[in-house]
Amino acid sequence: MEAHGPRTVLIEATRNILWIMSALPILSYHNVAVAPKDVPYKLLYVSPDRFERQLWTLRRLGLRGVSTSEGITRLSNCTTRGCVVFTFDDGYADTLTMAAPLLKQYGFGATCYIVSGAVGTYNRWDAEHLRETKPLMSRDQLDQWLAAGMEVGSHSLSHRRLNELPHDVARYEIAESRAALRNMLGVPIEHFAYPYGRFTADIVEFVRHAGYSSAMTVLRGVARASDDRLRLPRILVNGERGLWNFLLHVATPYERLRFRPRAQ
Ligand SMILES: [Zn+2]
């Protein structure tokens, strides 16, 4: 049996500290806008003022927002220190008009996950449920997002619940959106985000087979070097919560300790 001397304790403590520090927070945003009155899920709206305060504070703390590509590379090289991945789901016009200028001003990168069959339209998949029609970026606006130094990923073809579809339809939703975005924008599309965060083992395999190198879930927690790149956890930025709550989740060990990884 191994002795529990001071050296063992020290090594264990150091290992734990390194484990905590090696984590990569991946933030998940939807709208950067003032929430309209009476909409459900106000938490999905982060006001531009609040968003700017978040960026300002992260920068003051020596942290930098990066795209999914940079985050994934750093995760594999164990150089995530000081990095926070910024992700935006659905591709709302306010991601370009409100978030991009601020991200650029602070020198941050970000990735926006686009529904390829809904470019230039609106949130058909939940407009009725949310009682709000929200415009999505047009092709021209996606070009502007890319020109601002930001990244595009795929959020499927039509934002359906992939786990509820016949396999061939799910496969098509995943693969076709990658091809469509690549053809439309002329850039590689390497990253995927599951609509509604829904996935199964089969869906993960379809994503792998379509050639994506990462996929975002809505599982809570921070990403680790040992995590499956096709089941990455994220931290949902709750627009109804203030700056201290944001920092608690993003810049302290809270999220790292509370949501320890699934047993390996
Ligand atoms: Zn979505």
Side-chain angles (χ1 to χ4, degrees):
M1 204 176 141
E2 207 180 323
H4 286 272
R7 213 162 92 176
T8 314
V9 171
L10 185 66
I11 287 169
E12 186 60 20
T14 310
R15 218 164 61 91
N16 279 337
I17 290 166
L18 285 176
W19 182 78
I20 290 168
M21 298 314 294
S22 70
L24 176 67
I26 303 174
L27 305 185
S28 162
Y29 290 90
H30 290 78
N31 288 98
V32 174
V34 175
K37 266 200 165 87
D38 305 327
V39 290
Y41 305 110
K42 278 203 166 65
L43 80 166
L44 296 178
Y45 293 81
V46 177
S47 75
D49 282 356
R50 194 159 266 186
F51 185 66
E52 178 163 22
R53 272 200 299 278
Q54 292 171 355
L55 302 190
W56 184 89
T57 311
L58 289 182
R59 194 173 66 178
R60 285 297 297 246
L61 291 171
L63 300 170
R64 190 169 62 90
V66 300
S67 65
T68 300
S69 282
E70 182 171 347
I72 300 285
T73 304
R74 288 179 171 278
L75 204 54
S76 299
N77 299 340
C78 295
T79 53
T80 54
R81 210 177 162 156
C83 286
V84 178
V85 175
F86 273 68
T87 71
F88 295 82
D89 281 8
D90 302 339
Y92 295 109
D94 60 55
T95 305
L96 174 74
T97 57
M98 295 295 161
L102 290 167
L103 290 164
K104 221 176 156 201
Q105 185 187 326
Y106 283 84
F108 285 12
T111 299
C112 187
Y113 292 92
I114 302 298
V115 180
S116 66
V119 170
T121 66
Y122 67 98
N123 57 321
R124 274 191 223 112
W125 56 89
D126 64 2
E128 208 174 308
H129 179 61
L130 295 180
R131 301 196 300 271
E132 210 215 338
T133 300
K134 300 185 278 191
L136 296 163
M137 276 191 258
S138 64
R139 187 198 160 151
D140 205 45
Q141 288 176 311
L142 286 172
D143 282 337
Q144 292 174 46
W145 170 257
L146 290 169
M150 307 299 162
E151 183 175 54
V152 166
S154 162
H155 197 33
S156 84
L157 182 63
S158 63
H159 207 291
R160 295 158 79 186
R161 289 176 176 80
L162 298 176
N163 59 319
E164 295 174 4
L165 297 176
H167 279 180
D168 56 334
V169 181
R171 232 184 262 121
Y172 185 73
E173 282 272 336
I174 293 164
E176 177 57 24
S177 64
R178 182 170 188 230
L181 289 168
R182 197 170 42 197
N183 292 340
M184 185 192 299
L185 303 169
V187 292
I189 304 295
E190 297 298 322
H191 310 289
F192 189 77
Y194 300 104
Y196 307 99
R198 300 285 189 92
F199 67 91
T200 61
D202 286 331
I203 301 294
V204 171
E205 280 320 301
F206 300 158
V207 169
R208 192 188 315 279
H209 194 253
Y212 293 100
S213 54
S214 87
M216 298 294 173
T217 68
V218 294
L219 297 171
R220 274 193 72 169
V222 288
R224 311 247 159 228
S226 58
D227 278 349
D228 181 348
R229 300 291 184 269
L230 299 182
R231 298 165 196 250
L232 291 170
R234 290 191 285 181
I235 299 168
L236 176 73
V237 179
N238 183 331
E240 294 189 297
R241 300 276 167 80
L243 187 62
W244 289 114
N245 184 271
F246 173 78
L247 289 176
L248 175 71
H249 290 281
V250 179
T252 74
Y254 172 82
E255 200 83 23
R256 295 149 169 80
L257 293 172
R258 186 156 173 231
F259 298 94
R260 294 185 79 100
R262 294 58 67 193
Q264 299 289 314

